[in-house]
Amino acid sequence: MRDRKRGSHRRVSTSPWKYVVATWFAGVLAAVGLGAVSPAGSALRSSLGLSAGALAWATSSITAVGAVLGTPAGWWIVRFGAHRALSGGLFVMAVATAISATAGSWGLLLGSRVAEGVGYLLVFVAGPVVITRMTQGGIRSAALALWGTCVPTGLAVAAALGGVLASQWTWNRWLALTALGPLIMAGLLTVVLPRLPRTSVQHPHRVVGTWNGALKLGAAYGSLSLVGVAVVMVLPLFLTEHRDVTSTVAGTVVALVCLGSAIGGLAASWLLRRGVALSSLVPLGVLMPVACLPAFSAEFPLAVSGGAATLVLLVDGLLISAVFAAVPAAVSRAEDVDVANGILNQLGSVGILMGPPVFGLAIAAAGWGAVAAGTFVFGGLGTVLLLKGARTSATGSADGVSRSLDAPRGVNVREGPEPLRKAPDVSNPNHNRI
């Protein structure tokens, strides 16, 4: 028994970044699945006889699941356990993607993509919860900001790798390949991640007041996601129709622009790790509508327009990462983080779904100047709501809570500089002691 305890002790007495990076890779692989259909879109339409609308439904059905079930997923993860949900979500994605690779009809493709969306939702609700419970202080803020780079990194990988392989492989083989990563990662996380005890559950109506901060941050995430996805979706059309560039050049520019979002998230992680306050990042949001002016103007050289569009996504990615970093301190109890991330993903998915049609209608009505106007409205709303959330983080809402609800009974977790002081530090040798 004593040897078993020592083995368990060795398992968790390591830097929390080991678990953070493993969890981050899980999110990246899930995001690759989100963007896997787009590179094979032409082949899919030809093979299955799909219309552009049918293909769009198959592409967006993953985020549609999150828009409907994000908050319920958070409640379920409270009961099931975040580490189990993370591995289970990856496994569901792997199986559903394998079914997509064998689809012979639009119905089967759509159904498997919806199932994949369930796994995707579990990963993106559980991932931040796992990170929150394994870190504290400045490390927690930096790690959660890093998590905010999962989607742009995964989409960039899917676009780059899929663009190369989709022209050489069949769409079936490409989708089958994207199923392997989540499957392998699900097994790896089952072995690597320490067991996190399930948290206690309170009836929703008793804790309604605790969701004010999470709702503000969720609305901020939805607004910022709306801007980011809309700019990426309308940029290729602008480049090909108003800048007279080839689709290859447009694709290269868009890939670089998407990379800007990941760079912004990494910058947020670096800054927060060094003690920069969340509230000090928020004013950067003013750069987004300003940068949209040269980005969507034919009066500037292509390099300037592309650089301006990259700046829009860089700031957007930085602020989205700041949203994730602000979540733990915006709730009053450690177990509320599960549901808070569910709210975040639900409202973020709504923003992703709304972005392209909202900006498309605005452009049709008012021209390309509407991109800057829409970015000003929705980006401004997102930054204001994030500022309120950042102030919540600064003042704190968890006073009086001194012991982690995830730590074994009798274990004291040292207080970090952040208001939420409830997550165990896995680098602490006492973490798994009974």
Side-chain angles (χ1 to χ4, degrees), residues 18 88 164 218 275 303 308 374 380 382 398:
K18 168 185 176 181
V164 173

Side-chain angles (χ1 to χ4, degrees), residues 222 225-227 229-230 347-360 378:
S225 296
L226 186 152
V227 170
V229 72
L347 295 179
S349 296
V350 171
I352 290 172
L353 288 175
M354 287 178 56
V358 167
F359 271 60
F378 291 102

Side-chain angles (χ1 to χ4, degrees), residues 33-280:
L34 174 65
V37 168
S38 294
S42 298
L44 266 169
R45 288 186 63 186
S46 176
S47 177
L48 301 182
L50 304 179
S51 65
L55 182 64
W57 273 107
T59 302
S60 63
S61 55
I62 284 186
T63 51
V65 173
V68 175
L69 299 177
T71 303
W75 284 110
W76 183 78
I77 288 173
V78 171
R79 295 162 173 79
F80 188 67
H83 68 284
R84 299 180 185 89
L86 184 61
S87 298
L90 289 168
F91 181 76
V92 169
M93 287 196 73
V95 173
T97 304
I99 295 174
S100 297
T102 63
S105 65
W106 178 75
L108 182 57
L109 177 65
L110 181 63
S112 59
R113 287 289 285 179
V114 170
E116 191 175 350
V118 174
Y120 177 88
L121 177 60
L122 292 178
V123 171
F124 274 87
V125 175
V129 177
V130 170
I131 291 174
T132 299
R133 292 180 180 166
M134 291 184 174
T135 56
Q136 59 182 325
I139 292 179
R140 175 188 289 153
S141 296
L144 288 171
L146 178 65
W147 175 261
T149 68
C150 286
V151 172
T153 302
L155 292 179
V157 170
L161 189 60
V164 173
L165 295 181
S167 60
Q168 303 175 7
W169 290 10
T170 63
W171 64 267
N172 311 80
R173 293 175 64 189
W174 161 241
L175 291 182
L177 177 65
T178 63
L180 288 178
L183 182 63
I184 294 171
M185 200 67 194
L188 182 63
L189 289 179
T190 302
V191 175
V192 170
L193 288 183
R195 300 291 179 181
L196 298 175
R198 286 172 284 187
T199 55
S200 60
V201 179
Q202 291 193 9
H203 196 275
H205 80 267
R206 296 179 181 175
V207 289
V208 170
T210 66
W211 307 127
N212 291 335
L215 287 170
K216 289 176 184 177
L217 291 175
Y221 182 41
S223 298
L224 294 169
S225 296
L226 186 152
V227 170
V229 72
V231 169
V232 169
M233 292 298 290
V234 302
L235 184 59
L237 182 64
F238 173 78
L239 292 175
T240 54
E241 291 191 358
H242 293 271
R243 300 302 302 258
D244 296 324
V245 304
T246 65
S247 57
T248 301
V249 172
T252 302
V253 172
V254 171
L256 292 174
V257 169
C258 290
L259 201 58
S261 182
I263 293 172
L266 291 173
S269 178
W270 186 83
L271 291 169
L272 293 172
R273 182 70 181 90
R274 279 151 183 78
V276 175
L278 281 170
S279 57
S280 66

Side-chain angles (χ1 to χ4, degrees), residues 269-334:
S269 178
W270 186 83
L271 291 169
L272 293 172
R273 182 70 181 90
R274 279 151 183 78
V276 175
L278 281 170
S279 57
S280 66
L281 302 179
V282 175
L284 294 173
V286 73
L287 295 175
M288 290 194 292
V290 174
C292 277
L293 295 174
F296 290 90
S297 172
E299 303 298 323
F300 293 87
L302 181 60
V304 173
S305 295
T310 303
L311 177 60
V312 175
L313 267 291
L314 188 149
V315 174
D316 189 69
L318 183 146
L319 295 179
I320 285 175
S321 290
V323 169
F324 280 100
V327 170
V331 297
S332 58
R333 302 172 345 119

